[in-house]
Amino acid sequence: MNDTAMPALHLLNKAPSHPRFQACLAAMDPADQLLLLENAVIALVDKTASLPAGTRALASDCEARGLSDKVAASALTDMADMVELTDQFTKIISW
Amino acid sequence: MNDDSSADTVLIVIDRPPYGDWHGREALDMALSLAAFDRPVAVLFRGEGVHWLRPGQNASVIDQKTVSRNLSAATLFGVEALYADRSTLARFQIGETEPDVTPIVVDPDFYHRFKKVVQL
């Protein structure tokens, strides 16, 4: 299986206004998993952002920014879950 | 000439979200320093900077100090006013703000009233 077909985990910590935010979304395939960190979590309450289904976000970054009650519980990911995700995906791209 | 009472007020603009980097804190420090030297100064939150105003922040979980405490002190230390951009408050769905931080909501072109505008 060549590398492009392999599903990837995308770790995105840029705010929506950062060019790399759109670059990440553009690079994602349906089978990929997106995990939002740090500034990127504000995209969850950005009316202009369109995030792939199943997008997850680091719970501590959401709580820090007062977003915990604005995010679906299923999307909130703690550190252990994040480590688990990095174990599940062979291909990991940090944006 | 209309009444431009804000003629010599310096407007510090914060347009980056809190906690991701230090630009916002440095901009707020600049505002507090100007106020300490009795220079008229005000702060405008716009773009992603409106996240400074969101209630219920708890930055201790990422080992940082919650920024909203600095904001409530700003007007005490002589910052004339805190302003917030109406359009990005709506975009990021920020209804109310922290109890003791009540920004004046303004339109996107508000900063044109000021002769000195600083963004870090």
Side-chain angles (χ1 to χ4, degrees):
Chain A
M1 199 165 75
N2 63 37
D3 279 350
T4 52
M6 188 188 293
L9 170 65
H10 299 259
L11 300 174
L12 176 60
N13 69 346
K14 301 294 183 289
S17 62
H18 193 288
R20 226 177 273 152
F21 190 93
Q22 286 311 325
C24 169
L25 295 187
M28 285 192 63
D29 287 327
D32 291 357
Q33 171 67 56
L34 177 59
L35 176 58
L36 303 176
L37 311 168
E38 298 168 19
N39 278 347
V41 301
I42 68 173
L44 296 164
V45 285
D46 180 351
K47 283 186 183 169
T48 65
S50 52
L51 298 171
T55 294
R56 297 175 66 170
L58 198 59
S60 49
D61 284 324
C62 290
E63 183 180 352
R65 294 163 175 80
L67 297 175
S68 301
D69 56 358
K70 304 272 189 304
V71 181
S74 55
L76 290 176
T77 305
D78 63 24
M79 284 296 184
D81 297 337
M82 182 163 87
V83 171
E84 174 63 30
L85 276 174
T86 58
D87 192 37
Q88 275 171 20
F89 287 85
T90 316
K91 187 174 180 182
I92 300 174
I93 305 171
S94 292
W95 295 87
Chain B
M1 259 282 278
N2 59 16
D3 156 41
D4 56 3
S5 54
S6 53
D8 52 4
T9 297
V10 175
L11 182 69
I12 307 281
V13 177
I14 293 179
D15 64 356
R16 295 171 185 243
Y19 312 122
D21 57 46
W22 301 105
H23 295 87
R25 284 186 197 269
E26 282 160 12
L28 192 57
D29 286 349
M30 182 184 284
L32 295 174
S33 308
L34 284 167
F37 286 94
D38 292 328
R39 279 298 303 271
V41 60
V43 176
L44 165 66
F45 295 93
R46 70 170 181 197
E48 291 158 344
V50 295
H51 284 279
W52 279 66
L53 302 168
R54 187 181 294 282
Q57 296 174 43
N58 175 21
S60 60
V61 296
I62 55 168
D63 301 327
Q64 288 197 43
K65 274 190 282 189
T66 298
V67 294
S68 26
R69 280 188 209 108
N70 312 63
L71 289 188
S72 49
T75 39
L76 291 179
F77 288 117
V79 171
E80 281 177 359
L82 302 180
Y83 298 107
D85 179 316
R86 188 187 318 283
S87 58
T88 44
L89 282 174
R91 171 184 165 190
F92 289 107
Q93 306 172 63
I94 297 177
E96 26 51 79
T97 58
E98 283 289 338
D100 49 5
V101 174
T102 49
I104 300 164
V105 180
V106 294
D107 291 325
D109 58 2
F110 176 73
Y111 67 95
H112 282 305
R113 299 180 190 203
F114 295 84
K115 290 204 176 72
K116 294 189 177 48
V117 180
V118 177
Q119 299 175 81
L120 292 190

